[in-house]
Amino acid sequence: MPFAILILLQNEGVLPAFLLIFLLFFIGVVLLVIAAKTIKIVPQATVMLVERLGRFSRVAASGLNILIPFLDKPRAVFWTNTRGGVTSIDLREQYLDLPPQPVITRDNVTIHVDSVVYWQITDPVKAVYEMNDLVGGIVQLTITGMRAVMGDMDLDHTLSQRDQINGKLRLILDEATDKWGVKVTRVDVKNIDPPEDVRVTMEKQMTAERNRRALVLQAEGERQAAITRAEGEKQAAVTRSEGEKQSNILQAEGLAQARLRQAEAEAQAITQVAQAMQEHGNPAQYLITTRYIESLRDMTKSNNAKVIFMPVETSTMLSAVGTIKEMFAESGVKSPPDDPNKPPPRQLR
């Protein structure tokens, strides 16, 4: 409509040609500005806060959004490490890579720690209106929380308990940023750099500890080997004793069986001899004479030179002499005294 009015005025000669061109250009620029302020396209996974006359009105979701020109205005944010005046708020999970920060442990050792914080905006309205600089606040909160957590730990614990440090930092950040509409999903401590002299001392301590463990393991192995050898020797001794015991038992049983068999054989032989000599002689006299001959044969094999052979009749004569002596003793007759001038009897060889 405005363009048609300007063309009619120019045809009637009221407006010159250059003025018509200027007015057309101005009107086109104004229309472009109004269209830019009216039509807003929000990318996926982002939102935009719309203010009407300086007051929060609504949250513009992803896609095409129509604003009232000169009344509705997107809210721009000015956060650390972000481009100034950005109106789109990213709802995806983001991370902050913090540079190394000096931290003093409980045993007064200054270490440099760098970490990574993963966070996500869950409420864009709180993220914009509850905190002036959301990213800067998260950075400063991470640094102070790290110093508080590691300040209560020794150097050895800070190097060996990273999972515990990560868990404590995440809890601290998550509780503090909850009112900002932010969810801290993860905190990772990347590097912990102690001073050079402390690092050299720790390497020496680690070497000494490894040597100590090696010696302990070697001593434990030798002890187990000695115990195993002793148990083996014990088992061997028990086995040998059991073997000797069984051998002695078997040997004794064998001797007993042999003696029983021999006694049975002798008994059978005596019985047969007695039956054979029952009519022609005295079996007892026969057995005594046989044993006497065997004894004389054994005595002749002896190495002793002083051996006296006494016939079996001599023993009968000596027993008779002993009987006569007992008879004199009972009758009261004394035997004649020995003559002191009588020479001693000669020994028989």
Side-chain angles (χ1 to χ4, degrees):
M1 187 67 180
F3 291 102
I5 295 173
L6 291 175
I7 292 173
L8 290 175
L9 291 176
Q10 195 272 336
N11 291 333
E12 293 178 359
V14 178
L15 292 175
F18 73 91
L19 184 60
L20 178 63
I21 295 173
F22 176 76
L23 290 176
L24 292 175
F25 178 76
F26 177 74
I27 292 173
V29 171
V30 171
L31 292 176
L32 289 175
V33 171
I34 293 174
K37 290 183 175 294
T38 303
I39 300 173
K40 294 293 182 180
I41 298 176
V42 180
Q44 181 68 29
T46 58
V47 294
M48 183 174 60
L49 301 184
V50 179
E51 295 179 346
R52 180 169 295 177
L53 299 178
R55 186 177 181 180
F56 172 73
S57 175
R58 61 190 175 89
V59 177
S62 58
L64 180 63
N65 294 272
I66 304 299
L67 305 182
I68 300 176
F70 305 107
L71 294 180
D72 294 339
K73 179 182 178 182
R75 174 61 185 265
V77 295
F78 299 88
W79 293 343
T80 303
N81 298 332
T82 59
R83 184 168 54 88
V86 176
T87 58
S88 298
I89 300 175
D90 196 346
L91 298 181
R92 296 174 297 177
E93 187 174 357
Q94 307 175 57
Y95 73 92
L96 291 174
D97 190 0
L98 275 69
Q101 301 293 327
V103 178
I104 300 176
T105 60
R106 187 171 61 180
D107 49 355
N108 297 326
V109 178
T110 302
I111 57 177
H112 290 80
V113 183
D114 57 340
S115 59
V116 180
V117 180
Y118 297 87
W119 58 283
Q120 184 179 12
I121 295 176
T122 58
D123 191 345
V125 177
K126 290 183 179 180
V128 173
Y129 293 105
E130 294 292 336
M131 184 63 183
N132 182 24
D133 186 357
L134 180 63
V135 177
I138 294 175
V139 171
Q140 296 301 322
L141 188 61
T142 304
I143 294 174
T144 55
M146 185 183 302
R147 290 176 178 174
V149 172
M150 292 189 175
D152 292 336
M153 303 175 67
D154 296 333
L155 178 60
D156 295 338
H157 293 165
T158 58
L159 296 175
S160 61
Q161 299 180 1
R162 292 195 179 188
D163 293 340
Q164 184 178 356
I165 295 173
N166 296 337
K168 290 182 178 181
L169 282 176
R170 190 189 66 79
L171 290 177
I172 292 174
L173 295 179
D174 196 21
E175 291 177 358
T177 58
D178 182 61
K179 63 179 181 180
W180 300 344
V182 175
K183 175 67 176 179
V184 177
T185 59
R186 185 178 178 86
V187 179
D188 288 332
V189 176
K190 294 196 301 183
N191 296 317
I192 299 177
D193 297 328
E196 184 65 23
D197 54 347
V198 176
R199 186 182 62 82
V200 173
T201 303
M202 291 175 61
E203 289 179 355
K204 293 180 179 179
Q205 182 181 1
M206 180 180 60
T207 303
E209 181 66 19
R210 289 180 177 176
N211 293 333
R212 185 187 67 82
R213 290 180 181 177
L215 294 176
V216 170
L217 291 176
Q218 183 178 1
E220 184 67 20
E222 293 177 354
R223 186 178 71 86
Q224 291 293 336
I227 292 174
T228 304
R229 285 195 298 268
E231 290 180 353
E233 293 176 356
K234 175 183 176 181
Q235 287 295 114
V238 171
T239 304
R240 285 195 299 269
S241 299
E242 290 291 334
E244 293 177 356
K245 175 183 176 182
Q246 293 295 331
S247 177
N248 293 331
I249 291 173
L250 293 176
Q251 185 177 1
E253 291 179 354
L255 293 176
Q257 293 291 335
R259 293 185 64 181
L260 289 175
R261 296 292 178 85
Q262 185 179 1
E264 291 176 357
E266 290 182 358
Q268 187 176 3
I270 292 172
T271 303
Q272 292 180 359
V273 169
Q275 291 178 356
M277 298 185 66
Q278 193 171 10
E279 298 179 356
H280 303 285
N282 187 2
Q285 186 66 29
Y286 170 76
L287 293 175
I288 293 173
T289 305
T290 304
R291 293 296 177 88
Y292 175 73
I293 294 172
E294 292 178 356
S295 299
L296 291 178
R297 182 182 58 196
D298 294 336
M299 292 171 64
T300 55
K301 297 179 181 179
S302 175
N303 295 325
N304 191 2
K306 297 180 179 180
V307 178
I308 299 174
F309 297 98
M310 182 179 294
V312 66
E313 295 80 1
T314 308
S315 60
T316 304
M317 181 184 65
L318 292 178
S319 61
V321 171
T323 303
I324 295 171
K325 184 177 181 180
E326 290 179 357
M327 292 174 62
F328 278 110
E330 291 177 358
S331 60
V333 179
K334 296 183 180 180
S335 61
D338 294 334
D339 189 0
N341 297 323
K342 184 178 180 180
R346 292 185 300 173
Q347 295 183 354
L348 298 178
R349 293 182 181 269

